[in-house]
Amino acid sequence: MSQIPRLSEISAGRNNNLNLIRMVAASAVLISHAFPITSGSDAVEPFETQLGMTLGEIAVGIFFILSGFLVSMSFTRSKSLAGFFIARAVRIFPALFVVLTLTALLLGPLVTQLPLDAYLLSPATLTYIPGNMSLAFMQYDLPGVFDQNPVGQAINGSLWTLFYEVACYFGVAVIGLLGAFRSQRLFLASLAAFMAFYVAVNVYEHMLPTRIILLADLGFPFMVGIVFFNYRERIPVFLPVSLILFASSFLFVDTFIFNEVFYLTIGYFLVSVGFLESLRFEQYNKLGDYSYGVYIYAFPMQQLAVYYFGPMTPQMNMLIAFPITLIFAILSWHLVESRALSLKKRLDVRKAPV
């Protein structure tokens, strides 16, 4: 019987299934959003009734788990703090700037109910790109755009998670600067500090602003990824065990710890499926990483489908919007994202993989 590999042994290289997993997660967000986009904000999304969390929320949790693992790896390989943040910035902001520009200056003029000059000179149009690029002052509507759509004027309802993603990057930087990735005692102290924050937010959430609550909610799966990275040399990866643990998590549905158990078990399942050599679909990686493009283009394409074709079922919305979204995602990867990543390599902000 072959020895069960440790996570550190199978996660060191670049050949893995993470691009494919992220693509599935981004597509799941599209599927989940199809319900409120076609039926209004009160629509019940997949798994919402059964699990207390929607398919979209599960997919976002998957993104944050994987991001916690990979961003921690990026920090430990970075030559400097500036290099770490440059690496993160070139992954997020170039493609974000393009989608915001296309949305405000192409999509908006095509569908707005206002005269073109009134639309272009509106303060809301002028602040759309810089406000959303800041991540801190998100703006979801443009004047006269999608006024009559069932879910309302939201142009890109997926972008809100980016603020919390970047906030978690700063969390990784703090953990790293404290030396916690080199000291298990310091890491445990960092983990205890986060868990104290997480528990306090859950106890006093009725008194706290939404941004703090969401930071805790999304910070937990991100921290799960960090924990898997930090203990990668001690974690054996055995697919049958990951399947059993993941299936067992559903026994905790309707309990107050379901979310936490779910993210821990799905995290172990993700690293098993993502890194085990016997499960790798290496050919997919040759296509590119289209997940971010799908994530940032899906919502406006889904809204556009309803605008042009009128009332439709969620399934029809998926069928119309997904191919168009995929085209934009492919173009985004090859024309924007991959070129930005090549800039990161030219700046030599990361060490060679070990």
Side-chain angles (χ1 to χ4, degrees):
M1 182 176 178
S2 60
Q3 185 177 6
I4 297 174
R6 302 287 171 173
L7 180 54
S8 58
E9 299 170 15
I10 60 177
S11 63
R14 296 184 179 276
N15 290 324
N16 53 61
N17 288 331
L18 299 190
N19 283 352
L20 180 58
I21 293 172
R22 285 194 296 255
M23 183 63 177
V24 172
S27 301
V29 173
L30 183 153
I31 291 170
S32 197
H33 282 164
F35 290 81
I37 284 173
T38 57
S39 304
S41 57
D42 293 332
V44 177
E45 299 181 39
F47 300 144
E48 186 173 2
T49 302
Q50 298 87 347
L51 301 181
M53 63 173 71
T54 68
L55 177 61
E57 290 170 339
I58 294 171
V60 168
I62 288 172
F63 275 124
F64 273 71
I65 291 169
L66 296 180
S67 187
F69 187 96
L70 294 174
V71 172
S72 298
M73 181 184 293
S74 175
F75 184 90
T76 60
R77 294 179 177 181
S78 294
K79 294 181 178 180
S80 67
L81 184 62
F84 169 73
F85 281 113
I86 289 172
R88 306 278 56 80
V90 298
R91 187 66 188 96
I92 287 181
F93 289 104
L96 177 62
F97 177 77
V98 172
V99 71
L100 293 174
T101 301
L102 291 175
T103 302
L105 302 183
L106 180 60
L107 184 151
L110 285 175
V111 304
T112 184
Q113 302 300 308
L114 300 180
L116 183 58
D117 58 343
Y119 169 82
L120 292 174
L121 295 176
S122 170
T125 303
L126 298 175
T127 59
Y128 183 80
I129 296 174
N132 287 320
M133 284 294 291
S134 76
L135 302 185
F137 304 100
M138 301 298 289
Q139 179 182 325
Y140 296 103
D141 62 314
L142 284 165
V145 175
F146 300 146
D147 287 353
Q148 305 304 315
N149 280 21
V151 79
Q153 291 180 273
I155 308 291
N156 203 331
S158 299
L159 299 184
W160 68 272
T161 62
L162 297 181
F163 171 85
Y164 302 97
E165 174 85 7
V166 172
C168 288
Y169 297 165
F170 281 92
V172 169
V174 170
I175 291 172
L177 291 173
L178 289 173
F181 288 125
R182 299 187 303 272
S183 166
Q184 294 306 315
R185 183 175 297 179
L186 289 174
F187 184 82
L188 286 173
S190 300
L191 179 59
F194 171 78
M195 290 307 301
F197 164 72
Y198 181 75
V199 171
V201 169
N202 277 272
V203 171
Y204 298 106
E205 64 177 345
H206 61 286
M207 302 168 55
L208 297 172
T210 301
R211 184 160 283 184
I212 297 297
I213 297 169
L214 290 174
L215 181 61
D217 288 345
L218 294 177
F220 185 87
F222 197 93
M223 181 57 79
V224 168
I226 296 175
V227 168
F228 275 103
F229 172 77
N230 190 68
Y231 293 108
R232 65 196 181 281
E233 294 182 359
R234 303 183 184 183
I235 298 175
V237 180
F238 191 42
L239 184 61
V241 171
S242 74
L243 287 169
I244 292 170
L245 290 174
F246 179 52
S248 299
S249 70
F250 294 100
L251 298 174
F252 293 86
V253 173
D254 296 329
T255 70
F256 71 97
I257 60 170
F258 170 66
N259 284 17
E260 293 75 20
V261 172
F262 180 80
Y263 284 133
L264 285 168
T265 57
I266 200 173
Y268 184 55
F269 176 75
L270 289 172
V271 297
S272 300
V273 174
F275 290 117
L276 278 175
E277 185 175 358
S278 60
L279 298 177
R280 290 176 185 169
F281 294 91
E282 295 182 11
Q283 292 299 317
Y284 180 82
N285 289 332
K286 296 178 181 179
L287 297 175
D289 183 1
Y290 304 146
S291 59
Y292 184 46
V294 168
Y295 187 77
I296 62 177
Y297 280 96
F299 204 98
M301 294 304 103
Q302 291 178 272
Q303 282 278 64
L304 201 59
V306 174
Y307 175 84
Y308 277 118
F309 297 102
M312 62 180 63
T313 63
Q315 293 75 20
M316 183 60 66
N317 185 263
M318 300 171 206
L319 289 173
I320 295 172
F322 183 78
I324 302 171
T325 299
L326 182 58
I327 290 171
F328 276 98
I330 292 171
L331 292 173
S332 178
W333 171 255
H334 290 290
L335 299 181
V336 182
E337 297 168 55
S338 63
R339 296 186 181 189
L341 291 174
S342 68
L343 172 64
K344 177 184 72 174
K345 293 177 182 178
R346 288 199 296 272
L347 292 172
D348 192 27
V349 297
R350 292 178 68 180
K351 299 177 183 177
V354 295

